Amino acid sequence: MEKKKILVTGVAGFMGSNLADRLLAAGHRVVGIDNLEYGRKEQVAEGVEFHKADIRSKEIYPLFEGVDAVFHLAAKNCLPDCQADPVATMDINVTGTANVFEAARRAKVPRTLYAESSAVEEGDDRLKGFYAISKLADGKIAEGYRAEFGLDIVGLRYFNLYGPRQDYRRKSPPVMSKLIITFLKGEQSLDRELGAERPVVFEGDEDNKRDFIYVDDVNDFHMLCLTDGRVKNKLFRLGSGRSTSVKEVYDTIVKLMGVQPNPIAKPRPPGDPVVATLADWSEAGKLGWKPKTSLEDGLRAQIEWMREEFKKGNIR
Ligand SMILES: NC(=O)c1ccc[n+]([C@@H]2O[C@H](COP(=O)([O-])OP(=O)(O)OC[C@H]3O[C@@H](n4cnc5c(N)ncnc54)[C@H](O)[C@@H]3O)[C@@H](O)[C@H]2O)c1
């Protein structure tokens, strides 16, 4: 395959760092941008030309020179943080995205791919959230740049990604990270005979379903986008095509970790309604892509990585 120069924003985050590894393994040159607000420098591979920079700054423009494709993944995406600070959310996710498109336009980058989110199609409640609003706005800005400047911009509407390096440090960690941390701590407590930390399960968890997709499966599609002309200016939904309940996630993690938890059942918290999401990934499927990692295999890899984090003392 022809070697390309690829720029990744949000390269120190969950998806960006995994994508950079994949691009380097394929022999591509990777330029990475991150302001390290949420990301971690130590998970950026050595081969990445890393720039600690903010996507809202004009200083990023020169970095786009000679780039063959941009993956724009940087965002403020911890939902409680977005709800707490709508202005910062719009500044980073909307102005920041416009600035990335502008940088790509000035440097005549042939293809720009940006991160959308299934939050924009999760029903009225979610749509009122500032994160979803910012992602909807990004779609409109993309339309504008296509129409006015002829930029090739591909929208990637991700459903719920999981896997190694998922950001477990945020105030409200994604469900899988949260459960794995509880069980890791519980295991440790048992070792010390302090009694296991007890996980919380909520009413309705068996109907609360998400389309969870493993990070490497999404990277398969990212790689395809580098060479396939058919993706031009399109929007793709990327999910596993399977809606999995939080209860099933819980049971699978329990099985894989071999723990015997004693969960505390609680009523559903307000602001966390029962929702079911399911990706129609047929557009991506037409290009020959399909998700291939089972929930068990994906969770096994995530548990293994989180065990290492725990051993290193990173999970407290
Ligand atoms: N992970 C998911 O399940 C999921 C689902 C749908 C959409 N997305 C979108 O995919 C993208 C990547 O998500 P992720 O899970 O890897 O998130 P992440 O938080 O792990 O990574 C985002 C990175 O962007 C960086 N960043 C934030 N603001 C910045 C700024 N102003 N300038 C430069 N860098 C900045 C952060 O430091 C972080 O490293 C985001 O746009 C997110 O909204 C993710």
Side-chain angles (χ1 to χ4, degrees), residues 9-17 33-40 43 53-56 72-78 91-93 96 114-119 131 135 156-162 165-167 170 174 213:
T9 73
V11 73
F14 163 43
M15 290 170 60
S17 63
I33 296 177
D34 203 296
N35 69 352
L36 302 179
E37 174 80 27
Y38 290 91
R40 294 160 68 180
Q43 57 193 20
D54 197 296
I55 52 163
R56 292 164 289 182
H72 172 41
L73 303 176
K76 188 174 186 70
N77 58 28
C78 174
D91 197 22
I92 297 165
N93 295 1
Y114 76 98
E116 256 238 26
S117 167
S118 60
Y131 171 70
K135 291 286 177 183
L156 301 172
R157 185 171 291 174
Y158 306 117
F159 280 63
N160 286 62
L161 268 81
Y162 71 100
R165 301 193 191 143
Q166 189 180 54
D167 183 9
R170 53 181 64 174
I213 177 148

Side-chain angles (χ1 to χ4, degrees), residues 173-189:
V175 59
M176 290 158 167
S177 288
K178 202 173 180 169
L179 286 170
I180 297 168
I181 289 172
T182 307
F183 296 143
L184 284 170
K185 287 184 175 172
E187 283 177 8
Q188 193 196 45
S189 307

